[in-house]
Amino acid sequence: EILRAMLENYGYQVLTANDGVDGLAQFAQNSNQVKGVITDLMMPHLDGALTIKGLLKMNPELAIIATSGLITDHHEVSRVEGFADAFIQKPYTTEKMLTTLHQTLHKKMK
């Protein structure tokens, strides 16, 4: 909710999901409006890596940023290399997220 509020404060329209399964459902229902996804790697029911792969099957051009506070698990980060467009370590600053989101969206729109 904090990230949602921050992004909305900077003019982004935001949908939120409780976990990977909910995220895939939200994307399926709103795919025409969604340009990018920010997802945690550690989620219940469907982890970030599988969520990312599912999203990319629905839209291979989708901009995706993965994030995690558990960088000690390098295996999780390596599972999304080549799939996510960017990775941000938690905790991150507002400036870091906004810069990464801006760069990722503009790279995909070219």
Side-chain angles (χ1 to χ4, degrees):
E1 291 301 313
I2 293 170
L3 179 58
R4 180 192 57 76
M6 182 265 293
L7 292 173
E8 288 178 346
N9 189 48
Y10 283 90
Y12 289 96
Q13 293 178 338
V14 180
L15 294 171
T16 59
N18 295 321
D19 55 41
V21 174
D22 187 28
L24 291 175
Q26 290 281 344
F27 181 76
Q29 292 173 0
N30 301 283
S31 61
N32 292 335
Q33 293 87 15
V34 177
K35 305 294 181 224
V37 172
I38 300 168
T39 184
D40 199 301
L41 293 180
M42 304 299 288
M43 296 184 292
H45 310 297
L46 190 65
D47 69 15
L50 292 175
T51 299
I52 291 169
K53 289 174 184 175
L55 290 166
L56 290 174
K57 282 186 179 182
M58 289 187 267
N59 180 354
E61 299 303 314
L62 186 64
I64 298 178
I65 298 172
T67 185
S68 180
L70 301 174
I71 196 64
T72 56
D73 189 353
H74 292 286
H75 175 70
E76 282 302 310
V77 175
S78 68
R79 288 181 61 209
V80 298
E81 287 178 337
F83 295 102
D85 297 294
F87 174 79
I88 300 178
Q89 169 76 36
K90 289 181 186 177
Y92 48 79
T93 64
T94 298
E95 181 181 348
K96 176 69 174 172
M97 177 55 76
L98 291 172
T99 300
T100 303
L101 181 57
H102 178 81
Q103 290 172 347
T104 303
L105 289 172
H106 284 278
K107 182 175 85 173
K108 285 292 190 161
M109 291 179 178
K110 286 185 175 183

